[in-house]
């Protein structure tokens, strides 16, 4: 039923809800039915797709609720990664943020992903810049960590992103301690 609604729904609010329900129902698995919505004219739809495509990435996540060495893995369809990369260059800052966050939290670590994240360290949109910095920092990139700390130092005490700066620093400290 959700798959049918996903392809037929024309109301943008309802479609956004169907995308979320489909992603939740599918959990970590095949979300290829969402890919055609990556080109939707409404940036809220594209941004939602960018965010939920993290569920279709099979490498163990570096951040978030699934971050665990024992997380279930599966082969990530290349067209899913290509779609997230495409959305990371979207004209809307919110869409870029969603895509960059998905890549930042994913376990995909390739030179192309690192280059993309590095290119967004100077993004005009603060949240996109922040997500790119998080992605590089968890990949132990010193410049990414510097940018993340700089952005973090400019945040107010109630900024919701502060926890993510602390989470990244905690992950890096844990890795350093584990290496001895």
């Amino acid at each position: 039923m959700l798959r049918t609604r996903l392809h037929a729904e024309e109301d943008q609010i309802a479609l956004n809800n169907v995308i979320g329900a489909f992603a939740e129902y599918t959990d970590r698995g095949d979300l290829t039915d969402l890919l055609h919505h990556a080109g939707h004219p409404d940036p809220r739809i594209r941004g939602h797709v960018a965010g939920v495509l993290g569920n279709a990435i099979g490498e163990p996540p570096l951040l978030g609720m699934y971050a665990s060495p024992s997380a279930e893995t599966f082969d990530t369809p290349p067209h899913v990664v290509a779609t997230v990369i495409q959305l990371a260059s979207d004209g809307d800052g919110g869409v870029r943020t969603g895509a960059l966050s998905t890549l930042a939290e994913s376990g995909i670590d390739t030179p192309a992903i690192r280059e993309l994240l590095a290119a967004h360290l100077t993004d005009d949109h603060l949240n996109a810049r922040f997500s790119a910095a998080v992605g590089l920092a968890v990949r132990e990139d010193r410049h990414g960590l510097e940018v993340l700390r700089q952005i973090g130092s400019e945040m107010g005490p109630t900024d919701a992103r502060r926890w993510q700066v602390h989470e990244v620093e905690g992950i890096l400290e844990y890795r350093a301690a584990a290496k001895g």
Side-chain angles (χ1 to χ4, degrees):
M1 181 175 132
L2 285 173
R3 186 170 274 117
T4 303
R5 291 271 319 269
L6 193 60
H7 293 287
E9 188 58 61
E10 294 182 14
D11 180 80
Q12 292 174 349
I13 294 171
L15 177 59
N16 214 20
N17 289 327
V18 171
I19 288 170
F22 184 78
E24 183 70 27
Y25 174 75
T26 306
D27 194 31
R28 295 191 70 224
D30 186 7
L31 296 175
T32 54
D33 285 310
L34 297 179
L35 297 182
H36 75 278
H37 291 298
H40 196 279
D42 187 334
R44 294 171 295 188
I45 300 295
R46 295 192 310 274
H48 197 175
V49 169
V52 300
L53 282 178
N55 290 350
I57 295 177
E59 288 75 8
L62 298 172
L63 289 171
M65 62 187 276
Y66 293 112
S68 166
S70 62
E72 174 190 350
T73 62
F74 52 89
D75 292 331
T76 302
H79 52 285
V80 169
V81 177
T83 300
V84 177
I85 289 171
Q86 173 190 345
L87 290 168
S89 297
D90 194 274
D92 183 84
V95 176
R96 288 194 309 276
T97 298
L100 291 166
S101 292
T102 292
L103 292 171
E105 295 176 7
S106 80
I108 299 173
D109 190 10
T110 65
I113 296 296
R114 285 178 180 252
E115 288 173 22
L116 176 69
L117 293 169
H120 285 280
L121 290 177
T122 57
D123 197 294
D124 292 337
H125 194 268
L126 175 62
N127 289 334
R129 191 166 59 246
F130 180 80
S131 293
V134 166
L136 286 170
V138 297
R139 288 166 176 82
E140 299 181 19
D141 179 277
R142 288 186 182 268
H143 183 60
L145 182 57
E146 290 170 13
V147 172
L148 180 65
R149 286 178 173 156
Q150 176 196 1
I151 294 170
S153 71
E154 297 169 0
M155 293 178 194
T158 59
D159 193 310
R161 293 170 294 201
R162 288 184 73 95
W163 72 268
Q164 200 162 18
V165 173
H166 295 297
E167 179 184 17
V168 169
E169 289 179 334
I171 288 169
L172 295 176
E173 288 172 12
Y174 175 80
R175 288 181 189 162
K179 288 179 184 175

